[in-house]
């Protein structure tokens, strides 16, 4: 982590476009060009897996399978798999938000038409032979369709229809091919992609269905306990995520085979990855079945160094970011130091504690990734707006002087972070635009009105690229 760099955090879904959600099409390439023009080196994204019913990419039907909504429709038309009329029918009503209701109702039907017109099935078969977990994901989704969307524990139909199975296989193939082309374009331009690995998987997922022995389940396939976190900055009751917890003893016995495959696959998709909730590898918050709130949970020791050794063995010199936020104990800090992975620093946490807070820029170490905020935080401008007056004055004074115009204050905060010792600084796209709380990506503990934020090409074109290039160059981050 010695080379200084910077980047932008923005999910694929937030890209501009004409079809209700961002995709791997020409707008994504234009965003890569934008990053180059601004002197950034990294594009960080959120998990690529299929989102859940609340549109969250952190709880998916498969931790390997790709989100079909990211498949670009215009690329499918160029391949002769969709017509101009079908594209016209799919055009969005608004460019500012992901139109999830419409996507959920129409997009899979449209992609089925493309799959039916795809004739080279041998290509798909050969592709899936390389990635058995994608094959399992397609099989799971086909069986889920055959069982009317019921959880796998309640399935009565055990064999899927060949046409439906091929559809889901085609989705994974096309997703991977389109993404590989886009990533190749980014890498040629000098932009590296940072992916995101949620630590847990969903109960109703291909991962748990394919190998339930890897999880702490009862005889009916239901979790004996569920994941979450204790009360913290985001929630006074803590968060009950509901994911099943790994049977770490069983995983250790087979040499962490499932985790090994997951890390290897993610490092084919990305140049580096962030591992969400890293502290769960040291100790995880286990909430008993039937608990009313996450407060009823307790800390239990995780796999620790044995899993870290396996991840390091697979990753080699590739970038692994440890999300080490939340209740960090000396034991978690020791595990992070052992791993040599860079941890995270978040400016919005800098003024919650005293002058020794690791989130204050003057305390940043070289081996860290510093963020103005994450996908779970407010935007920087929204954060400043909602601070009490004393803390707001302190935060802005820290970064070069109090400004009545808080948008100028946001720029000073970004400058302060870029000037810091942190090897890499990542700025959410909303903070590049200096947008307020109405453009927030996610509010933890809430199920609605999240994950929908999108940018427009006009907004991107209005950014002063020369300015960002100059400050990246000034602080040796180009």
């Amino acid at each position: 982590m010695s080379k200084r760099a910077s980047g932008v955090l923005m999910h694929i879904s937030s890209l501009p476009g004409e079809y209700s959600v961002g995709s791997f099409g020409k707008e994504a390439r234009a965003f890569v060009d934008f990053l180059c023009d601004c002197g950034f080196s990294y594009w960080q994204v959120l998990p690529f897996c299929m989102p859940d019913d609340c549109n969250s990419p952190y709880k998916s039907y498969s931790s390997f399978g790709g989100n079909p909504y990211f498949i670009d429709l215009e690329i499918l038309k160029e391949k002769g798999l969709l017509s101009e009329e079908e594209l016209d029918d799919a055009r969005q009503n608004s460019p500012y938000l992901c139109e999830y209701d419409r996507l959920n109702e129409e997009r899979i039907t449209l992609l089925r038409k493309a799959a039916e017109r795809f004739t080279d099935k041998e290509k798909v078969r050969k592709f899936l032979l390389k990635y058995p977990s994608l094959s399992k994901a397609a099989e799971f989704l086909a069986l889920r369709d055959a069982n009317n969307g019921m959880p796998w524990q309640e399935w009565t139909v055990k064999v899927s229809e060949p046409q439906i199975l091929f559809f889901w296989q085609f989705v994974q193939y096309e997703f991977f091919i389109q993404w590989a082309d886009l990533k190749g374009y980014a890498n040629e331009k000098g932009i590296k992609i940072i992916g995101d690995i949620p630590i847990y998987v969903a109960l109703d997922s291909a991962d748990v269905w394919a190998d339930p022995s890897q999880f702490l389940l009862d005889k009916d396939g239901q979790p004996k306990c569920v994941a979450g976190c204790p009360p913290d900055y985001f929630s006074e009751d803590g968060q009950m995520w509901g994911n099943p917890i790994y049977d770490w003893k069983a995983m250790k016995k087979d040499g962490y085979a499932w985790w090994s495959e997951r890390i290897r696959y993610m490092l084919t998709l990305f140049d580096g990855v962030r591992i969400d909730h890293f502290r769960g590898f040291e100790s995880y918050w286990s909430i008993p079945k039937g608990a009313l709130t996450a407060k009823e949970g307790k800390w239990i020791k995780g796999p620790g160094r044995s899993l870290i050794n396996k991840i390091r063995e697979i990753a080699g010199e590739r970038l692994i970011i440890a999300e080490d936020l939340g209740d960090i104990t000396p034991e978690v800090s020791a595990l992070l130091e052992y791993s040599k992975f860079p941890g995270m620093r978040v400016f919005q946490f800098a003024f919650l504690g005293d002058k020794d807070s690791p989130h204050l820029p003057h305390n940043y170490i070289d081996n860290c990734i510093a963020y103005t905020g994450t996908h779970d935080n407010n935007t920087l401008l929204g954060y400043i707006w909602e601070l009490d007056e004393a803390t707001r004055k302190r935060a802005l004074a820290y970064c070069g002087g109090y400004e009545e115009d808080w948008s100028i204050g946001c720029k000073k905060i970004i400058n302060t972070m870029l000037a810091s010792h942190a090897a890499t600084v990542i700025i959410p796209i909303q903070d590049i635009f200096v947008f307020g709380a109405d453009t927030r990506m996610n509010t933890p503990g809430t199920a609605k009105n999240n994950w929908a934020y999108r940018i427009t090409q006009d907004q991107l074109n209005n950014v002063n690229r020369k300015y960002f290039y100059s400050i990246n160059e000034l602080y040796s981050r180009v």
Side-chain angles (χ1 to χ4, degrees):
M1 289 302 300
S2 58
K3 184 178 182 297
R4 291 171 65 80
S6 61
V8 174
L9 169 63
M10 188 186 72
H11 198 28
I12 300 296
S13 62
S14 296
L15 282 164
E18 299 182 43
Y19 303 100
S20 300
V21 67
S23 74
F24 297 149
K26 62 180 184 296
E27 292 85 4
R29 283 166 171 72
F31 185 69
V32 168
D33 295 341
F34 165 82
L35 294 173
C36 292
D37 293 345
C38 291
F40 292 116
S41 303
Y42 289 107
W43 177 3
Q44 183 169 340
V45 296
L46 302 185
F48 271 15
C49 47
M50 294 178 65
D52 67 1
D53 292 340
C54 295
N55 307 311
S56 170
Y58 287 90
K59 199 172 182 182
S60 175
Y61 295 123
S62 169
S63 62
F64 290 82
N67 186 341
Y69 296 161
F70 295 168
I71 294 173
D72 186 69
L73 300 184
E74 293 185 353
I75 293 176
L76 292 180
K77 178 183 173 293
E78 291 169 8
K79 294 180 178 181
L81 301 178
L82 292 177
S83 69
E84 187 67 49
E85 183 180 1
E86 287 165 337
L87 260 61
D88 287 342
D89 290 342
R91 294 189 193 280
Q92 64 205 16
N93 296 313
S94 169
Y96 300 108
L97 293 172
C98 296
E99 298 175 332
Y100 285 120
D101 289 343
R102 186 178 180 195
L103 288 165
N104 294 337
E105 185 177 332
E106 300 176 7
R107 185 56 55 88
I108 296 300
T109 299
L110 183 58
L111 292 175
R112 285 189 197 280
K113 292 179 180 179
E116 289 167 3
R117 295 163 186 161
F118 187 84
T119 57
D120 196 350
K121 295 187 177 183
E122 184 63 14
K123 272 188 179 178
V124 176
R125 188 190 70 81
K126 287 181 177 178
F127 166 77
L128 290 172
L129 287 175
K130 297 179 185 176
Y131 303 105
S133 287
L134 287 184
S135 186
K136 280 291 182 184
E139 185 181 352
F140 173 84
L141 292 165
L143 283 169
R144 196 171 183 276
D145 284 350
N147 287 276
N148 299 312
M150 299 293 288
W152 63 265
Q153 298 91 334
E154 300 175 31
W155 287 354
T156 56
V157 179
K158 303 298 184 181
V159 180
S160 61
E161 296 180 23
Q163 186 176 1
I164 301 301
L165 177 59
F166 177 74
F167 164 70
W168 286 112
Q169 292 172 337
F170 166 80
V171 163
Q172 297 311 319
Y173 167 81
E174 187 64 27
F175 177 97
F176 190 96
I177 294 300
Q178 288 195 15
W179 170 245
D181 286 346
L182 175 57
K183 181 178 178 293
Y185 180 82
N187 290 166
E188 287 174 7
K189 293 276 189 172
I191 302 298
K192 293 183 178 180
I193 313 292
I194 301 173
D196 198 310
I197 301 180
I199 187 172
Y200 292 117
V201 301
L203 177 63
D204 188 21
S205 68
D207 309 286
V208 183
W209 164 76
D211 195 354
S213 67
Q214 301 278 321
F215 303 86
L216 295 174
L217 307 178
D218 63 22
K219 60 182 177 60
D220 297 319
Q222 297 299 327
K224 296 177 181 178
C225 47
V226 297
C229 66
D232 62 7
Y233 170 83
F234 291 113
S235 173
E236 62 181 19
D237 286 331
Q239 298 175 46
M240 191 184 302
W241 301 330
N243 309 76
I245 290 175
Y246 300 111
D247 186 336
W248 287 116
K249 290 181 180 178
M251 287 189 156
K252 187 175 183 179
K253 278 184 181 179
D254 69 13
Y256 299 107
W258 184 86
W259 270 97
S260 297
E261 184 181 2
R262 191 182 191 192
I263 296 295
R264 284 193 189 95
Y265 177 68
M266 291 303 160
L267 289 175
T268 66
L269 288 180
F270 307 110
D271 299 298
V273 292
R274 185 194 83 125
I275 298 179
D276 188 49
H277 198 59
F278 175 86
R279 72 103 55 244
F281 291 158
E282 193 284 319
S283 294
Y284 57 89
W285 191 249
S286 177
I287 305 168
K289 186 177 181 179
L292 296 179
T293 74
K295 284 182 178 180
E296 299 176 51
K298 63 180 180 180
W299 291 112
I300 297 178
K301 280 293 181 184
R305 291 189 176 190
S306 61
L307 178 59
I308 297 303
N309 289 339
K310 179 59 67 173
I311 294 173
R312 284 169 54 180
E313 174 190 325
I314 294 166
E317 298 301 314
R318 307 284 286 280
L319 174 63
I320 304 290
I321 301 172
E323 188 269 281
D324 58 336
L325 307 176
D327 183 10
I328 301 305
T329 64
E331 291 81 5
V332 177
S333 297
L335 185 64
L336 179 62
E337 185 175 355
Y338 174 80
S339 75
K340 307 300 182 186
F341 302 152
M344 291 176 57
R345 303 292 184 268
V346 180
F347 184 85
Q348 292 189 36
F349 299 152
F351 299 92
L352 295 175
D354 57 25
K355 64 181 180 180
D356 295 323
S357 168
H359 298 285
L360 281 165
H362 72 268
N363 290 327
Y364 292 169
I365 60 174
D366 174 73
N367 191 35
C368 77
I369 313 291
Y371 297 77
T372 51
T374 74
H375 63 273
D376 282 334
N377 289 103
N378 202 340
T379 67
L380 189 56
L381 182 61
Y383 159 78
I384 293 172
W385 181 277
E386 293 179 3
L387 285 175
D388 63 83
E389 183 64 18
T391 306
R392 182 187 303 121
K393 286 185 175 180
R394 181 181 165 211
L396 293 177
Y398 178 94
C399 295
Y402 183 81
E403 295 284 352
E404 293 294 338
D405 182 344
W406 296 341
S407 64
I408 296 176
C410 287
K411 289 184 176 181
K412 287 187 174 182
I413 290 171
I414 290 172
N415 281 19
T416 299
M417 295 184 67
L418 290 171
S420 74
H421 282 293
T424 300
V425 175
I426 303 290
I427 308 166
I429 190 66
Q430 297 97 315
D431 296 346
I432 297 289
F433 295 154
V434 199
F435 282 174
D438 58 328
T439 63
R440 182 172 182 160
M441 192 65 169
N442 180 51
T443 303
T446 64
K448 296 181 179 179
N449 303 317
N450 294 318
W451 315 109
Y453 171 69
R454 289 180 73 196
I455 70 173
T456 68
Q457 193 60 48
D458 284 344
Q459 290 168 348
L460 208 59
N461 292 342
N462 285 332
V463 172
N464 187 336
R465 303 184 188 201
K466 290 183 178 179
Y467 167 75
F468 278 101
Y469 190 93
S470 68
I471 59 172
N472 273 314
E473 187 174 48
L474 179 64
Y475 298 121
S476 301
R477 295 190 182 274
V478 175

